[in-house]
Amino acid sequence: MLSRPRVHSSRNAAVLRLIAREAFGNLRATRTRSMLALLGIVIGTASVVALINVGGNAGKEAVNQFKAMGVDLVMAQQPVGSGAGGRTPAYYDAADIERLPDALPDVRAAAPLILSSAQLSANGRSALGNVIGSTASLNQVMPLPMRAGRFLSSYDGAEPFAVVGSRLSRALGAPGVPLMPGDRLRVEGAILTVIGVLSDVTLNPLFPVDVDDTILVPRGAARRVMPSPAITSVAIRVAPDADPGTAADAIARYFGDRMRSVTIDVRSARQLIEGMERQADLFTWLFAAIGGISLLVGGIGVMNVMLMGVMERRREIGLRMAVGARAGDVRVMFLVEAAALSVTGGLAGAALGMALAWGFAILSGWAFVFSPLAIPLGTGVATVVGVLSGYHPAAMAARLDPIDALRAE
């Protein structure tokens, strides 16, 4: 009595080995058709794996570039008043900005921003650029590396000085020679002296302008080149351990208490990074869905191979059932064939997809980061799609009547 389950189990294992051997033999017999179905699974799985990794790496690269500009940046946008005449623009007071780091413990530095644009000219060339009036504290708020010269200082006062962005220095310089400290720059009729040239600065989505296309002038000199030199925004650096939401609320209350009937919009870099990471995840899954469509097409190829196999092997199926094969054995045989195609294609496609994603990252100059979900998701979906695609042909083969099958031509 105790030995029967063991004997029964060993018999089942022997039957499964025999079925697997028969399944692989049948696939080899229809090599061309099986290879076409296998190619569909490979391409579909490679699409899923590659797109998940490429989407994830693209999102991480965008976030890393933004983090390089500083995750502690907070921008207080232009306040909007709500008077009797409706919503009207309001402006910050320079003294309130100077006292901000002393008033709030989470704030490390704050810089006023007077924003404008103007036609700039030098060396017989002209270009439209951004103009920012600010103070030396702007370099404490966000990293602005110098390529030549110096940054604004607290001693500049209202001197007609300018720090020029890298792209603008090339556009206004002599051919092959960008602007350098000591050169003269005309801005709306005013002549400014270049005291520094910035290195290339990564575009920061939180900052209101592209620094590479901008000149920075002392706040006191802004009236020379701007029709309305009012402070419209404030760039703020908070402590690394500060909560971005709490710090933003405290900054909004600070300016709100000093500016009646205004709405202060304060945005933090960390909040924007969190939004970018969520968006990157969304695009990664969107790419995975696009790759999944290719995998579905590969599953249809597996179904076609199985259906053709059933039609061509009806006499064989009838003979097997006539000599004792059960309907379940026939069903398992065809399911094993479908699983063999999908698993083999899934593994090969996963390897191909990883190679494609790595190559794309290298060519794009990104640091390749492996997505842990890519291979399990790609191979897992490939296996499920393949087996489900093979289930209908397997069930159809199992339902064949042995007598009718033996009569088939």
Side-chain angles (χ1 to χ4, degrees), residues 16 26 53 63 68 95 136 155 160 164-165 175 182 220 240 263 275 335 353 356-357 370 375 382 404:
L16 286 176
N26 292 329
N53 277 285
V63 170
Y155 301 104
V164 185
T263 301
L335 284 177
L356 291 173
F370 169 69
I375 290 181
D404 293 337

Coordinates of all heavy atoms in Angstrom, one line a residue, residues 16 26 53 63 68 95 136 155 160 164-165 175 182 220 240 263 275 335 353 356-357 370 375 382 404:
L16 N 6.0 12.4 -18.3 CA 6.3 13.8 -18.6 C 7.6 13.9 -19.4 O 7.7 14.7 -20.3 CB 6.4 14.6 -17.3 CG 5.0 14.9 -16.6 CD1 5.3 15.6 -15.3 CD2 4.1 15.7 -17.5
N26 N 8.9 17.1 -32.2 CA 8.0 17.7 -33.1 C 8.4 19.1 -33.5 O 8.2 19.5 -34.7 CB 6.6 17.7 -32.5 CG 6.0 16.3 -32.3 OD1 6.3 15.4 -33.0 ND2 5.2 16.1 -31.2
N53 N 14.0 49.1 -19.7 CA 15.3 49.6 -19.3 C 15.6 51.0 -19.9 O 16.1 51.9 -19.1 CB 16.4 48.6 -19.7 CG 16.6 47.5 -18.7 OD1 17.1 47.6 -17.7 ND2 16.1 46.3 -19.1
V63 N 16.4 63.0 -14.0 CA 16.4 63.3 -12.6 C 17.8 63.6 -12.1 O 18.0 64.6 -11.3 CB 15.7 62.2 -11.8 CG1 15.9 62.4 -10.3 CG2 14.2 62.0 -12.1
A68 N 21.8 67.5 -10.1 CA 23.1 68.1 -10.2 C 23.0 69.6 -10.0 O 24.0 70.2 -9.6 CB 23.8 67.8 -11.5
A95 N 14.7 94.1 1.2 CA 15.0 94.0 2.7 C 14.4 92.7 3.2 O 15.0 92.0 4.1 CB 14.5 95.2 3.4
A136 N 25.2 88.7 -5.2 CA 26.2 87.7 -5.1 C 25.7 86.4 -4.4 O 26.2 85.3 -4.6 CB 27.4 88.2 -4.2
Y155 N 30.1 94.2 -3.5 CA 30.7 95.5 -3.7 C 30.4 96.1 -5.0 O 30.8 97.2 -5.3 CB 32.3 95.4 -3.5 CG 32.7 94.9 -2.2 CD1 33.2 93.6 -2.0 CD2 32.6 95.7 -1.0 CE1 33.5 93.1 -0.8 CE2 33.0 95.2 0.2 CZ 33.5 93.9 0.3 OH 33.8 93.4 1.5
P160 N 28.1 99.1 -13.8 CA 27.6 98.5 -15.1 C 28.4 97.2 -15.5 O 29.1 97.2 -16.5 CB 27.8 99.6 -16.1 CG 28.9 100.4 -15.6 CD 28.8 100.3 -14.1
V164 N 28.2 86.8 -18.1 CA 27.5 86.3 -19.3 C 27.5 84.8 -19.3 O 28.4 84.1 -19.0 CB 28.3 86.8 -20.6 CG1 27.6 86.4 -21.9 CG2 28.5 88.3 -20.5
G165 N 26.3 84.2 -19.8 CA 26.1 82.8 -19.9 C 27.0 82.3 -21.0 O 27.3 83.0 -22.0
P175 N 34.3 85.6 -34.2 CA 34.2 84.2 -34.7 C 35.4 83.4 -34.1 O 36.5 83.7 -34.2 CB 34.5 84.4 -36.2 CG 33.9 85.8 -36.5 CD 34.2 86.6 -35.3
G182 N 36.4 91.9 -19.5 CA 37.0 93.1 -20.0 C 36.3 93.6 -21.3 O 36.4 94.7 -21.7
G220 N 21.6 96.6 -8.3 CA 21.6 98.1 -8.4 C 21.7 98.6 -9.8 O 21.3 99.8 -10.1
P240 N 19.7 70.9 3.7 CA 19.6 69.6 3.1 C 18.6 68.7 3.8 O 18.0 67.8 3.2 CB 21.0 69.0 3.1 CG 21.9 70.2 3.2 CD 21.1 71.2 4.0
T263 N -1.1 86.3 -3.2 CA -0.9 84.9 -3.2 C 0.5 84.6 -3.6 O 1.0 85.0 -4.6 CB -1.9 84.3 -4.3 OG1 -3.2 84.6 -3.9 CG2 -1.7 82.8 -4.3
G275 N 7.8 64.6 -8.7 CA 6.9 64.5 -9.9 C 7.5 63.9 -11.1 O 6.9 63.2 -11.8
L335 N 0.9 21.7 -25.0 CA 1.2 22.8 -24.1 C 2.7 22.8 -23.9 O 3.3 23.9 -23.7 CB 0.5 22.6 -22.8 CG -1.0 23.0 -22.8 CD1 -1.6 22.7 -21.4 CD2 -1.2 24.4 -23.1
G353 N 17.3 42.1 -25.4 CA 16.8 43.3 -24.9 C 17.7 44.0 -24.0 O 17.9 45.3 -24.1
L356 N 20.5 45.5 -26.2 CA 20.0 46.7 -26.9 C 19.9 47.9 -25.9 O 20.3 49.0 -26.3 CB 18.7 46.4 -27.5 CG 18.6 45.5 -28.7 CD1 17.2 45.2 -29.1 CD2 19.4 46.0 -29.9
A357 N 19.4 47.7 -24.7 CA 19.3 48.8 -23.7 C 20.6 49.3 -23.3 O 20.8 50.5 -23.2 CB 18.5 48.3 -22.5
F370 N 20.4 48.8 -14.4 CA 19.6 47.7 -14.7 C 18.3 47.8 -14.0 O 18.2 48.1 -12.8 CB 20.3 46.4 -14.3 CG 19.5 45.2 -14.3 CD1 19.0 44.6 -15.5 CD2 19.1 44.6 -13.1 CE1 18.2 43.5 -15.5 CE2 18.3 43.4 -13.1 CZ 17.8 42.9 -14.3
I375 N 13.7 41.8 -16.7 CA 13.8 40.4 -17.2 C 12.7 39.5 -16.6 O 12.1 38.7 -17.4 CB 15.2 39.8 -16.8 CG1 16.3 40.5 -17.6 CG2 15.3 38.3 -16.9 CD1 17.7 40.0 -17.3
A382 N 6.2 36.6 -21.6 CA 6.4 35.7 -22.8 C 5.9 34.3 -22.5 O 5.3 33.7 -23.4 CB 7.9 35.7 -23.1
D404 N -12.3 9.5 -36.0 CA -12.3 10.6 -37.1 C -10.9 11.0 -37.4 O -10.6 11.3 -38.6 CB -13.2 11.8 -36.6 CG -14.6 11.4 -36.5 OD1 -15.1 10.5 -37.2 OD2 -15.3 12.2 -35.7

